[in-house]
């Protein structure tokens, strides 16, 4: 499907319906503070999360999954070992999403993220400072496009306005709310929703845009009901469920 941006809301609704119908299995290797929120967001969205990082079983979990999320937020030896096994298990059959959290703060983490990009993630979801650390260049429009095109992946750049590009197509998403910045693991949850959408939509550009749009709209609605960041996280789960 090659939908123009004007059709993105309708396409997102159709992808969400497919997620609800199929309940895709999304295996998440994510940071310690994000696990529970990420799992609950996926469940509310209609997907089925799993979270093990045990090297002796993670390969089997990934091989039986519909998508994989690799999040570098907790960069410990156990997770690095699990990531290696998981990406091997995904190979070309299970699409996976890379979330290179905080690579701008750690050269070792940035180098590791670059080694993962060459292993063909379906999408890379990150912010502007993380992109600059990964690509060695600012997150300008042409740089984003050329990075995606050269590496045959989707770049989902999140910020005040999200940008999703495959090198040829570009979507800009202005949905969301400033209060979302006060809730930990919100970006991690966005990456998980991208993985859930990629599990049911073969056009990974469209799936990435749909996942980010869904979270942005949910954040806007949730912010209208929330009393602060604590209640916002609960409201977002309820909105996604509804």
């Amino acid at each position: 499907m090659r939908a123009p941006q004007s059709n993105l809301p309708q396409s997102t609704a159709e992808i969400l319906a497919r997620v609800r119908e199929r309940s895709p299995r999304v295996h998440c290797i994510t940071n310690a503070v994000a696990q529970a929120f990420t799992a609950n967001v996926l469940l509310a969205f209609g997907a089925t999360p799993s979270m093990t990082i045990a090297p002796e079983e993670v390969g089997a979990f990934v091989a039986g999954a519909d998508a994989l999320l690799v999040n570098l937020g907790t960069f410990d030896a156990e997770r690095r070992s699990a990531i290696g096994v998981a990406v091997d298990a995904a190979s070309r059959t299970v699409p996976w999403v890379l979330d290179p959290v905080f690579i701008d703060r750690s050269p070792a983490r940035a180098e590791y993220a670059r080694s993962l990009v060459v292993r063909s993630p379906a999408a890379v979801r990150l912010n502007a400072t993380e992109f600059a650390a990964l690509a060695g260049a600012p997150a300008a429009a042409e740089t984003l496009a050329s990075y995606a095109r050269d590496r045959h992946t989707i770049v989902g750049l999140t910020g005040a306005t999200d940008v999703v590009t495959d090198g040829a197509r570009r979507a800009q998403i202005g949905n969301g709310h400033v209060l979302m910045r006060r809730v930990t693991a919100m970006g991690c949850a966005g990456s998980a929703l991208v993985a859930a959408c990629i599990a049911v939509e073969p056009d990974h550009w469209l799936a990435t845009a749909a996942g980010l749009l869904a979270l942005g709209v949910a954040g806007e609605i949730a912010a209208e009901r929330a009393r602060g960041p604590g209640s916002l996280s609960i409201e977002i789960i309820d909105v996604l469920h509804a």
Side-chain angles (χ1 to χ4, degrees), residues 164-236:
V164 181
T165 181
D166 61 0
R169 295 172 291 175
R170 176 184 173 93
Q172 294 187 189
I173 301 166
N175 301 87
H177 193 276
V178 66
L179 195 58
M180 296 170 74
R181 302 175 190 172
R182 300 298 180 185
V183 179
T184 190
M186 195 63 67
C188 307
S191 297
L193 293 186
V194 168
C197 292
I198 281 175
V200 302
E201 172 52 59
D203 182 340
H204 296 160
W205 174 81
L206 183 58
T208 302
L212 296 180
L213 177 59
L215 183 64
V217 171
E220 289 179 353
I221 297 171
E224 294 176 356
R225 307 174 182 178
R227 301 181 307 279
S231 54
L232 180 75
S233 62
I234 296 171
E235 292 290 354
I236 281 181

Side-chain angles (χ1 to χ4, degrees), residues 50-189:
S50 55
M51 298 281 172
T52 184
I53 59 172
E56 65 271 19
E57 66 175 6
V58 69
F61 269 82
V62 173
D66 299 295
L68 167 68
L69 169 63
V70 172
N71 178 302
L72 303 185
T74 302
F75 194 60
D76 55 22
E78 186 176 17
R79 279 176 174 77
R80 291 199 302 276
S81 177
I83 288 168
V85 175
V87 174
D88 284 344
S91 187
R92 296 283 181 178
T93 59
V94 178
W96 63 283
V97 176
L98 175 62
D99 186 343
V101 178
F102 284 154
I103 61 169
D104 53 306
R105 302 190 188 184
S106 166
R109 193 180 294 219
E111 183 176 352
Y112 186 69
R114 293 186 199 104
S115 75
L116 290 175
V117 169
V118 301
R119 302 186 69 181
S120 303
V124 182
R125 203 291 308 167
L126 72 180
N127 62 34
T129 55
E130 290 161 350
F131 178 84
L134 186 66
E142 183 50 42
T143 307
L144 293 170
S146 62
Y147 189 90
R149 185 170 55 247
D150 293 347
R151 288 158 184 80
H152 306 288
T153 191
I154 309 302
V155 173
L157 187 85
T158 53
T161 299
D162 299 340
V163 177
V164 181
T165 181
D166 61 0
R169 295 172 291 175
R170 176 184 173 93
Q172 294 187 189
I173 301 166
N175 301 87
H177 193 276
V178 66
L179 195 58
M180 296 170 74
R181 302 175 190 172
R182 300 298 180 185
V183 179
T184 190
M186 195 63 67
C188 307

